């Protein structure tokens, strides 16, 4: 996650700059989702092991789904104003996050993640907590992308109509990357903090078996805690 700003400012800046040609759309969406897959796997919750085969399947599914989404959205905007086309990368990234994160963390959805009491004592594993945690991460990642992928396209669309950039087209990519980086510096910590790292869930929302087990151990517990990942 510490690489989020420098890596994403480069990748996102290039996605927003080279959005017109299909080969560049495919390449940068693949690079972006490959990086996201690493981040999602590295910052997952739980300690359940995942095999190389499962990890490979998740990676291929996540990147393929993201690239297909980007190409599908790009084809829909061919006859729309150029400014609309600039927002295709954001729409693709938002949709891809809904695919990439659950797939790279699918093991949590299968076996659950550890839930603890307030003192940190492990009470069991919950799929319900995993679903809530993954949903929170998806929301925070999409919100994280909004400033970096929504503000620079508007600025660049205006600047590219001015003589300054018309006479210096080579400045377009570095300027776009810089704008994205400026937005990410603020958006990354703010959106990581949308939901607490140590999240909570009410016992009544857990699986019946786990709920019964917790009530048997300590009937007074109403809320349990888990690490949602990033």
């Amino acid at each position: 996650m510490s690489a989020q700003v420098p890596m994403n400012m480069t990748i996102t800046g290039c996605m927003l700059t080279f959005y017109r040609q299909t080969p560049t759309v495919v390449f940068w969406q693949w690079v972006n989702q490959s990086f996201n897959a690493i981040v999602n796997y590295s910052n997952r919750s739980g300690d359940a092991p995942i095999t190389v085969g499962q990890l490979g399947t998740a990676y291929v599914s996540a990147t393929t789904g993201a690239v297909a989404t980007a190409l599908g959205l790009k084809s829909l905007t061919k006859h729309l104003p150029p400014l609309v086309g600039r927002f295709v990368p954001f729409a693709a990234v938002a949709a891809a996050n809904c695919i990439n994160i659950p797939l790279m963390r699918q093991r949590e959805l299968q076996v659950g993640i550890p839930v603890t009491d307030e003192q940190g004592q492990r009470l069991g594993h919950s799929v319900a907590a995993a679903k809530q945690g993954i949903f929170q991460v998806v929301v925070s990642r999409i919100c994280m992308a909004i400033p970096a992928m929504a503000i620079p396209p508007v600025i660049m669309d205006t600047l590219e109509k001015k003589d300054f950039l018309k006479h210096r087209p080579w400045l377009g990519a570095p300027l776009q990357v810089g704008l994205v980086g400026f937005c990410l510096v603020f958006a990354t910590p703010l959106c990581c903090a949308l939901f607490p790292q140590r999240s909570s869930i009410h016992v009544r929302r857990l699986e019946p078996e786990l709920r019964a087990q917790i009530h048997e151990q300590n009937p007074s517990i109403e809320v349990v805690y888990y690490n949602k990942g990033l």
Side-chain angles (χ1 to χ4, degrees):
M1 186 55 71
S2 60
Q4 186 79 351
V5 173
M7 288 295 294
N8 263 337
M9 68 181 283
T10 305
I11 296 170
T12 303
C14 289
M15 280 196 296
L16 293 174
T17 302
F18 308 112
Y19 67 93
R20 293 183 177 91
Q21 301 298 321
T22 299
T24 55
V25 169
V26 170
F27 176 76
W28 285 109
Q29 284 290 338
W30 169 73
V31 170
N32 183 53
Q33 291 310 316
S34 295
F35 172 69
N36 283 345
I38 296 169
V39 173
N40 294 335
Y41 178 73
S42 303
N43 294 280
R44 68 195 185 283
S45 178
D47 49 13
I50 181 170
T51 67
V52 175
Q54 290 172 325
L55 191 59
T57 302
Y59 167 74
V60 172
S61 302
T63 52
T64 302
V67 172
T69 303
L71 292 178
L73 289 169
K74 183 177 182 297
S75 67
L76 292 175
T77 59
K78 283 181 180 178
H79 306 294
L80 295 175
L83 182 59
V84 177
R86 287 180 177 272
F87 287 97
V88 167
F90 167 67
V93 165
N97 273 324
C98 299
I99 300 169
N100 196 317
I101 296 171
L103 281 173
M104 293 307 296
R105 295 177 59 174
Q106 61 180 284
R107 191 68 178 152
E108 298 170 41
L109 298 173
Q110 295 168 350
V111 300
I113 58 175
V115 294
T116 67
D117 59 17
E118 197 169 4
Q119 286 72 42
Q121 183 179 350
R122 186 175 295 198
L123 302 170
H125 287 74
S126 171
V127 172
K131 289 178 180 177
Q132 179 174 291
I134 289 173
F135 174 76
Q136 290 174 343
V137 171
V138 169
V139 171
S140 66
R141 291 290 188 82
I142 291 174
C143 291
M144 196 183 295
I146 290 174
M149 301 193 79
I151 297 173
V154 176
I155 297 174
M156 291 302 297
D157 190 66
T158 302
L159 291 177
E160 285 178 0
K161 295 172 183 175
K162 307 291 185 183
D163 290 339
F164 180 77
L165 269 188
K166 282 182 180 178
H167 296 149
R168 302 170 183 83
W170 54 271
L171 270 177
L175 186 57
Q176 185 108 256
V177 170
L179 287 169
V180 171
F182 178 79
C183 293
L184 282 173
V185 163
F186 298 98
T188 300
L190 285 172
C191 293
C192 279
L194 283 177
F195 304 100
Q197 179 72 41
R198 188 181 184 229
S199 291
S200 61
I201 184 171
H202 203 282
V203 172
R204 66 170 178 269
R205 296 181 57 192
L206 300 175
E207 296 83 346
E209 301 83 4
L210 180 58
R211 191 165 61 234
Q213 179 183 322
I214 291 172
H215 281 156
E216 185 179 342
Q217 294 174 359
N218 191 337
S220 64
I221 294 180
E222 294 185 358
V223 175
V224 293
Y225 302 87
Y226 63 92
N227 172 23
K228 71 172 177 64
L230 284 175

